[in-house]
């Protein structure tokens, strides 16, 4: 039987592939200008923050090596998107789709026996820090679209699409490319692009994305989340009950168990397997277009707070409607998060 309080974290994963020896200083700065948007594109395609970083680094290497032969018939940006698309399509060959726990099984009970063994990291859609993918100086409308298109439910729904349909939907619906531009990038026809887009829209419309409707971070919502931090750090169940929606959902990758309902979520924390999180501290940042927290448990020597999980919260109608807890401490260095809650977040 696996207990959440003592469950091992996933093994450390290798850092994204570095550039070849001696190549980094020669990188054309024009290539680096597109890194953030290419990371966002690759993340939507792959559903993994780690794989997105790998894909973009491979794109940069291929672009650097081929820059001398770039003939300028298309824009540099379009040329790099073509490279990134080919890299992502290659990475997706023969792979199973990534998912969220509710895509794999029915909701479970808030008991340790239901937790099961952790599954491999390749099973899950992973979170990504906003600082790595959202445009820094875009207009509000563009930023809003970018935020919606990296939400966990949307990215998980994308994984149901065949890879080329996925690319078409992202290019056409998220990035607002024309059918002709998309066809040129994919070496296909406009008719084929339009057909793929129609099929992709039908698949996406069949997915339930209501849990990830936009939740603007207005003053009221931020006040709610400040109360959540205070209640969670005190481990005050009575205060938490007043903040959580009755039908809220909690997921905890790498475990397949997920729970629906405030009573189950509270039972999990209050004397259940989640009680090991008592005394934790939360460091706020933003991930997947929503407010997130790096959670640190007092599990080290002398009660030292150590990285434990990434929490992405979903807020709607003045209540928390979803808790996505990612129990993968390898995400902390990738997101620039410190090893202690009193440290500073390093922005990408």
């Amino acid at each position: 039987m696996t207990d959440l309080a003592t469950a091992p974290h996933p093994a450390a994963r290798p850092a994204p592939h570095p550039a070849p020896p001696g190549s980094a200083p020669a990188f054309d700065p024009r290539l680096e200008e597109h890194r953030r948007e290419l990371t966002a594109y690759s993340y939507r395609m792959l559903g993994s923050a780690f794989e997105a970083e790998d894909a973009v680094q491979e794109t940069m290497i291929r672009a650097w090596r081929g820059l001398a032969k770039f003939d300028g018939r298309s824009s540099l940006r379009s040329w790099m998107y073509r490279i990134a698309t080919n890299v992502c399509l290659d990475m997706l060959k023969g792979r199973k789709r990534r998912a969220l726990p509710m895509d794999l099984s029915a909701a479970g009970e808030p008991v340790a026996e239901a937790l099961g063994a952790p599954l491999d990291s390749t099973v899950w859609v992973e979170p990504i820090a906003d600082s790595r993918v959202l445009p820094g100086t875009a207009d509000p409308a563009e930023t809003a679209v970018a935020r919606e298109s990296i939400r966990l439910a949307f990215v998980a729904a994308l994984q149901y699409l065949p890879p080329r349909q996925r690319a078409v939907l992202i290019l056409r619906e998220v990035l607002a490319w024309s059918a002709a531009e998309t066809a040129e990038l994919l070496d296909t026809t406009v008719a084929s692009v339009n057909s793929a887009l129609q099929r992709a829209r039908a698949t996406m419309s069949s997915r339930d994305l209501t849990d990830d409707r936009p939740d603007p971070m207005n003053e009221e919502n931020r006040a709610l989340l400040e109360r959540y931090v205070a209640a969670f750090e005190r481990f005050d169940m009575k205060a938490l009950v007043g903040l959580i929606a009755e039908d809220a959902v909690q997921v905890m990758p790498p475990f397949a168990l997920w729970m629906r309902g405030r009573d189950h979520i509270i039972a999990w924390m209050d004397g259940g397997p989640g009680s090991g999180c008592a005394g934790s501290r939360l460091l706020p940042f933003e991930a997947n277009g929503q407010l997130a927290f790096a959670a640190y448990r007092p599990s080290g020597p002398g009660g030292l707070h150590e990285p434990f999980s990434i929490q992405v919260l979903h807020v709607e109608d003045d209540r928390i409607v979803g808790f996505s807890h990612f129990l993968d401490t390898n995400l902390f260095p990738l997101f620039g998060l410190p090893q202690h809650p009193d440290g500073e977040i390093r922005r990408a």
Side-chain angles (χ1 to χ4, degrees):
M1 179 179 67
T2 305
D3 189 324
L4 185 62
T6 59
H9 284 294
R13 295 189 251 192
H17 298 316
S23 68
F27 265 22
D28 191 308
R30 294 177 298 166
L31 303 183
E32 285 294 330
E33 290 175 4
H34 301 289
R35 180 179 290 273
R36 186 173 296 190
E37 63 175 309
L38 290 173
T39 303
Y41 176 66
S42 300
Y43 173 67
R44 298 178 188 111
M45 286 289 293
L46 301 169
S48 163
F50 289 97
E51 289 188 352
E53 295 285 341
D54 273 347
V56 172
Q57 192 60 37
E58 178 63 22
T59 297
M60 291 292 174
I61 293 170
R62 292 188 189 184
W64 170 76
R65 289 172 174 165
L67 193 58
K69 298 179 181 179
F70 174 59
D71 56 18
R73 285 184 295 179
S74 64
S75 69
L76 181 67
R77 178 175 181 260
S78 298
W79 180 64
M80 293 188 71
Y81 265 94
R82 176 191 286 267
I83 297 172
T85 299
N86 289 332
V87 169
C88 290
L89 292 176
D90 287 344
M91 292 176 68
L92 288 167
K93 286 179 180 176
R95 297 202 182 179
K96 294 182 179 179
R97 68 174 177 86
R98 289 177 176 266
L100 293 173
M102 61 277 291
D103 297 322
L104 303 182
S105 63
E109 298 294 318
V111 294
E113 290 78 7
L115 194 60
L119 302 181
D120 190 81
S121 62
T122 58
V123 172
W124 307 113
V125 169
E126 297 172 336
I128 196 162
D130 285 8
S131 61
R132 306 197 74 81
V133 292
L134 290 186
T137 57
D139 63 69
E142 183 180 345
T143 300
V145 171
R147 283 184 179 277
E148 286 187 53
S149 66
I150 60 168
R151 293 180 186 275
L152 287 166
F154 183 81
V155 174
L158 285 173
Q159 309 311 301
Y160 279 85
L161 301 176
R164 286 179 69 85
Q165 279 188 32
R166 199 178 307 173
V168 166
L169 184 81
I170 297 167
L171 290 166
R172 296 281 284 115
E173 303 267 286
V174 177
L175 300 177
W177 285 40
S178 70
E181 290 170 327
T182 304
E184 183 179 0
L185 182 145
L186 294 171
D187 289 324
T188 188
T189 64
V190 168
S192 177
V193 165
N194 289 336
S195 176
L197 180 59
Q198 185 176 13
R199 295 195 302 273
R201 284 172 172 169
T203 300
M204 293 293 283
S205 66
S206 70
R207 305 305 305 165
D208 181 10
L209 303 180
T210 55
D211 283 348
D212 267 24
R213 288 195 294 267
D215 46 353
M217 293 309 302
N218 53 34
E219 291 185 10
E220 190 172 357
N221 280 342
R222 289 195 179 276
L224 167 68
L225 293 168
E226 287 176 5
R227 295 198 301 275
Y228 168 74
V229 170
F232 188 90
E233 292 188 341
R234 296 195 311 269
F235 230 54
D236 183 339
M237 296 300 120
K238 184 176 180 180
L240 286 171
V241 165
L243 303 175
I244 301 173
E246 186 176 355
D247 60 348
V249 169
Q250 176 171 298
V251 301
M252 300 170 292
F255 298 97
L257 173 66
W258 64 283
M259 293 170 289
R260 182 183 294 278
R262 178 177 57 208
D263 292 345
H264 278 184
I265 294 171
I266 294 298
W268 180 263
M269 292 190 287
D270 189 12
S275 60
C277 292
S280 293
R281 292 181 58 190
L282 302 180
L283 180 65
F285 71 110
E286 292 182 352
N288 293 93
Q290 298 178 124
L291 196 63
F293 300 96
Y296 299 81
R297 271 194 332 183
S299 54
L304 178 70
H305 282 83
E306 297 180 317
F308 179 64
S309 72
I310 301 296
Q311 299 183 10
V312 181
L313 268 59
H314 314 268
V315 178
E316 201 173 289
D317 299 330
D318 304 326
R319 288 291 184 272
I320 300 170
V321 300
F323 298 84
S324 297
H325 298 269
F326 294 90
L327 309 176
D328 186 348
T329 56
N330 296 305
L331 292 165
F332 279 65
L334 182 67
F335 293 174
L337 296 167
Q339 292 299 297
H340 187 273
D342 290 331
E344 294 185 1
I345 299 175
R346 291 181 291 104
R347 301 296 180 185

